[in-house]
Amino acid sequence: ATRNSGQALVTKNKVYLIGGSSTVNTTGSVSTIYVSTINASTGVIGSWSVYGNLPVALDSFELVVYLNRVYLIGGNSNGTIVSTIYSSLIDNEGNLGSWSIIGELPFVLKSMSCIITKNLLTCMGGQHTSGVVITVMQCPINEDGTLGTWYSCPSLPEGRRSASILPTKNWVYLIGGNSGS
């Protein structure tokens, strides 16, 4: 299916395409999760099949993995920006479990850039209902995978949405994106 603003995830020998929006028939956000197997010796991706669905139709969210858990953060649900954080466990074969609400962002946000370093979830920029934001916020991830309390960090010099985020040993780089204009 043709999709944009979804996320891909690789676990073991599986690749997942999660959510997004349909550009073919303009149905808006979708909840479909597709899966394919990656051939270990050739790297070729096999046929795609429907794996399941997210609890809601969602696009422009952020997806991060920590240990054996996937976190799906914020996003857009058919025109409504949300603050919900969903989580799914990854089993030993790379299969995703059921999705459950594990927390909320401090405010609604889509198209942000998130990373996990050590046990800290960091989200930068994004788009709120009032426009592109300069916000940087963090929350600890507890040993059981639940989220701690969000707190603010120094802001970005200017707002960015849909930027690439790259962590290195001592630095985090936020590259490109859209400033809203």
Side-chain angles (χ1 to χ4, degrees):
T2 302
R3 295 287 182 262
N4 69 14
S5 302
Q7 293 282 338
L9 169 68
V10 174
T11 64
K12 302 284 183 181
N13 69 332
K14 295 179 170 84
V15 59
Y16 295 92
L17 177 59
I18 300 173
S21 63
S22 173
T23 57
V24 173
N25 59 14
T26 63
T27 57
S29 306
V30 296
S31 63
T32 312
I33 300 171
Y34 294 96
V35 67
S36 181
T37 302
I38 302 170
N39 183 299
S41 58
T42 66
V44 173
I45 296 174
S47 299
W48 291 92
S49 61
V50 174
Y51 184 78
N53 290 291
L54 294 170
V56 297
L58 207 56
D59 66 75
S60 303
F61 54 87
E62 185 68 344
L63 188 86
V64 293
V65 176
Y66 181 67
L67 300 176
N68 66 336
R69 188 178 292 269
V70 179
Y71 296 89
L72 190 150
I73 305 162
N76 173 62
S77 184
N78 290 312
T80 301
I81 302 174
V82 298
S83 61
T84 311
I85 301 172
Y86 294 95
S87 181
S88 173
L89 289 173
I90 304 169
D91 72 16
N92 291 336
E93 278 74 50
N95 299 307
L96 299 179
S98 60
W99 293 91
S100 60
I101 295 174
I102 197 163
E104 299 281 332
L105 290 164
F107 49 86
V108 297
L109 198 59
K110 71 175 187 174
S111 303
M112 67 296 234
S113 302
C114 299
I115 59 168
I116 296 176
T117 52
K118 300 198 179 189
N119 69 327
L120 280 177
L121 172 58
T122 304
C123 294
M124 299 180 182
Q127 184 171 343
H128 185 269
T129 52
S130 60
V132 177
V133 299
I134 61 173
T135 305
V136 177
M137 55 191 163
Q138 290 183 317
C139 79
I141 299 175
N142 301 317
E143 286 185 23
D144 64 357
T146 59
L147 300 177
T149 302
W150 287 94
Y151 58 90
S152 295
C153 299
S155 297
L156 297 171
E158 63 180 1
R160 286 279 181 242
R161 68 174 185 228
S162 304
S164 293
I165 190 166
L166 300 168
T168 66
K169 184 176 180 182
N170 297 315
W171 300 93
V172 173
Y173 295 93
L174 192 65
I175 301 170
N178 184 313
S179 64
S181 59

